[in-house]
Structure formats: structure tokens, C-alpha cells
Amino acid sequence: MQRLLVTGGAGFIGSNFVHHLVRETDARVTVLDKMTYAASKEALAGLPEDRVSLVVGDIAEPDVVDPLVAQHDAVVHFAAESHNDNSLNDPSPFIRTNILGTFTILEAVRKHDRRLHHVSTDEVYGDLELDDPKRFTEDTPYNPSSPYSASKAGSDHLVRAWVRSFGVRATVSNCSNNYGPWQHIEKFIPRQITNVIDGIRPKLYGSGENVRDWIHAEDHSSAVRTILEKGRIGETYLIGADGEKNNLEVVQLILKLMGQPQDAFDHVTDRAGHDLRYAIESGKLRQELGWAPKFQDFESGLANTIEWYQAHGDWWRPAKEAVEATYAQKGQ
């Protein structure tokens, strides 16, 4: 697969994947991205122009998608509206991009018989009780709780239906919460890091007991490449790095790593319908395909991420004031 089309490749996780491909493979990559507020041309800056190109366009537009799919060997589909808070304010972009956009991609890969890998989220499974020892597996029933997770669940079902009904050569992955370079500062970890850098106290939803299973974006990237190269058509693989931490622990670790008192944060109004706990069982991916995460120590991965945001204030600071003003309007 020497020619890859990466949708959403100028966003947080997608751009990390493009960098990973350039380092680890000889592939030529075309990024298709709508360039919404969550995308960044800077995230692709410095990559070799003879191997990486950017097309600005909407994945929900067949006239944009079809000719690009025809020119490539495979499609890796990251493009999505992904911020839960935004989906609660206005679900419509999530329906268009995550459902209609995925349908458009599927019709193009069906027409041109191209390989597809569809990137999804563990949020489609709903949540677990805080004291529940279980983890999500490939067999866990879907139970989405927000417009974002519901739209991603819908896109997953479309992919599986196209595999079964039309023989589309596709795989699906559901990944836990990502962190790392180029993540928009509206998201939990970069928001807290940039708050501390700017002398603002971190903000913690509710009591901070909500648990997420954190994975570095580089590990997500290597897992997706492994599935693309070795995964069985029609299969779903869960991606996780055994990084369960509650939000309070994450905030306290950020403060510790940045030399601040671990109680130097504020409790704020909780998010509506805030899922309690996510936890990934990634045994199928590890045992069948031989994948393992690089950042197995969350603290070292978080330290790496803090260093990146400290060095890239010119990228995130122009958006910081507006992001905090939006949260302030909601008491968060």
C-alpha cells in the first residue's frame, strides 16, 4: 500500500499518524481535511512535499472524495467531529461528518475496490461503573450516551454493513482517549497543561472520579498501521495501553510534573451525561497482530506531552482566550 489517503490527517490523531507513516514506511500520503478549527496546517509542516500532500475538502462531498479514493491504494478514515461538549451544543455537524461522511467514503471504496480502515472510539460502548472490574471488548454491546458517540456508533455500523452486504475490504478500530502533540486545547489534558503554563488553575469536572483509559497518539498510530497491514478484513480491534486514570489523578499528575501543588485546581460544573469509566481490553490486537504500546508508562508520556506544549505556545496560545471564555460561560 504505497499510496494512502488519510482523512482528517491535519487533525490531532490524524496528523500524528501521518508523521508516523513518514518515519516508519515509504508510503506516499494524501491528507483530505476540511480544515475546521480542530485542524492545523502547522501539524503537517516540515514533512517531505514529495511524500505528503494536503487536499482541503469535505468528506461528505462525493465529488471530492471519489476521485481521491480512485487514486490511492487504501483509505485510513480519521476524519470526525469529536468533542463531546460541542455535540451537546449542536449535534448537526456530528451527523453530517461522522455518518454522512463515512457513508460517502464507503461508497467510494466500494466503487473502486479500495482497502479501508475506519477509526472509531471506545465511547460507542457507553460507560462502566467505577467499581466494575470489566473492560470493553470487541463483543461489548453498543450503548452510546452523547450525540458524538451515537454518531460514531452509527458510522461503525455502516462500515460493518458495507463489509457484509457489498464485500468492502474494511477493518474497524475503537480506541481509548488519546493524548499527545497537536491536540486542541479545548480537550482535557492540553487544557490543563496550558492553564498551568499561563498561570491559570486547572479545572476539574465534578469530583474528578470519572476514569479514562489514556493512550499516547503515537501508540494509536502504530496500532492503526499494524491493523492496516495485518488485520483481518471485517474484524474490529480495540486499541488501548492499560492507562486507566481518573480525572483527579491526571490533574494532580500534571501539577506535580509542572512543579505546582497538587491541590492547585478548581472544581467546576460537571458535563451533562458525563460517562463514568472507560476501559479497553486490547488482547486481540496484541495477541493476533503482535502490537504493543511504546508509552507503557503514562507519567513519562504525559511528561513528553507537557514538554511539547511548553515548546509550542505560538501554536496554541492564539486560541486560548476564546476557549477559556467559552468554558467560563458554562461555569466550567
Side-chain angles (χ1 to χ4, degrees):
M1 298 181 185
Q2 290 300 304
R3 301 170 301 168
L4 295 179
L5 177 63
V6 179
T7 72
F12 162 45
I13 306 175
S15 65
N16 275 276
F17 180 67
V18 174
H19 280 268
H20 177 84
L21 288 175
V22 170
R23 284 196 313 272
E24 304 295 335
T25 76
D26 296 323
R28 286 174 289 152
V29 181
T30 300
V31 170
L32 172 59
D33 202 296
K34 194 176 179 180
M35 299 306 296
T36 66
Y37 78 96
S40 169
K41 288 185 178 180
E42 292 88 344
L44 301 174
L47 292 173
E49 294 183 2
D50 61 335
R51 290 185 58 196
V52 179
S53 59
L54 171 64
V55 175
V56 178
D58 187 346
I59 62 166
E61 296 292 342
D63 291 346
V64 173
V65 170
D66 187 83
L68 287 172
V69 170
Q71 297 165 17
H72 294 81
D73 301 314
V75 180
V76 184
H77 179 33
F78 284 94
E81 293 284 347
S82 66
H83 191 42
N84 260 313
D85 287 348
N86 290 346
S87 81
L88 296 171
N89 293 332
D90 181 9
S92 59
F94 293 77
I95 303 305
R96 175 177 172 80
T97 297
N98 299 353
I99 296 181
L100 181 58
T102 300
F103 164 74
T104 305
I105 295 288
L106 283 166
E107 286 292 86
V109 297
R110 175 163 78 108
K111 176 180 176 181
H112 299 289
D113 188 25
R114 297 298 191 257
R115 172 79 165 89
L116 170 66
H117 180 68
H118 172 67
V119 179
S120 191
T121 171
D122 61 354
E123 295 191 41
V124 298
Y125 301 115
D127 60 351
L128 301 165
E129 295 296 330
L130 295 177
D131 58 355
D132 189 341
K134 292 189 298 186
R135 294 183 176 190
F136 298 138
T137 73
E138 288 81 3
D139 297 322
T140 300
Y142 276 32
N143 187 29
S145 57
S146 71
Y148 161 57
S149 56
S151 65
K152 289 299 290 184
S155 69
D156 295 3
H157 290 316
L158 287 175
V159 174
R160 295 191 183 99
W162 261 242
V163 170
R164 181 166 178 173
S165 297
F166 305 118
V168 165
R169 295 182 290 124
T171 45
V172 176
S173 60
N174 298 85
C175 190
S176 56
N177 284 53
N178 281 231
Y179 69 99
W182 301 111
Q183 188 172 27
H184 195 281
I185 56 170
E186 69 185 3
K187 298 287 192 170
F188 179 65
I189 284 181
R191 185 188 180 201
Q192 313 315 327
I193 292 171
T194 55
N195 275 356
V196 176
I197 292 173
D198 276 0
I200 304 170
R201 288 167 67 91
K203 312 300 181 186
L204 186 67
Y205 283 148
S207 64
E209 294 180 350
N210 306 72
V211 173
R212 299 294 178 261
D213 194 347
W214 294 100
I215 184 172
H216 195 282
E218 170 61 20
D219 287 329
H220 189 181
S221 297
S222 68
V224 167
R225 179 168 65 90
T226 298
I227 297 167
L228 185 66
E229 294 174 353
K230 302 178 182 179
R232 290 182 288 134
I233 297 302
E235 292 293 312
T236 295
Y237 298 89
L238 266 60
I239 304 173
D242 299 327
E244 282 189 66
K245 300 284 183 184
N246 70 37
N247 289 346
L248 174 60
E249 291 173 313
V250 173
V251 166
Q252 289 177 328
L253 184 54
I254 290 170
L255 288 164
K256 172 189 171 184
L257 291 170
M258 300 184 75
Q260 301 294 314
Q262 293 185 44
D263 61 353
F265 63 88
D266 296 327
H267 292 276
V268 295
T269 305
D270 205 354
R271 171 195 291 157
H274 198 177
D275 286 345
L276 293 176
R277 174 175 166 258
Y278 305 148
I280 287 284
E281 170 52 63
S282 57
K284 178 179 176 180
L285 173 63
R286 299 181 190 225
Q287 294 159 18
E288 290 190 10
L289 306 186
W291 174 83
K294 171 184 174 183
F295 288 96
Q296 300 192 47
D297 174 18
F298 177 69
E299 183 168 341
S300 66
L302 188 58
N304 170 278
T305 303
I306 290 170
E307 291 174 3
W308 189 90
Y309 280 93
Q310 289 172 327
H312 290 81
D314 57 335
W315 175 73
W316 57 261
R317 187 162 281 112
K320 183 64 177 173
E321 183 176 351
V323 167
E324 292 305 314
T326 298
Y327 275 116
Q329 289 176 353
K330 298 183 290 185
Q332 298 173 334

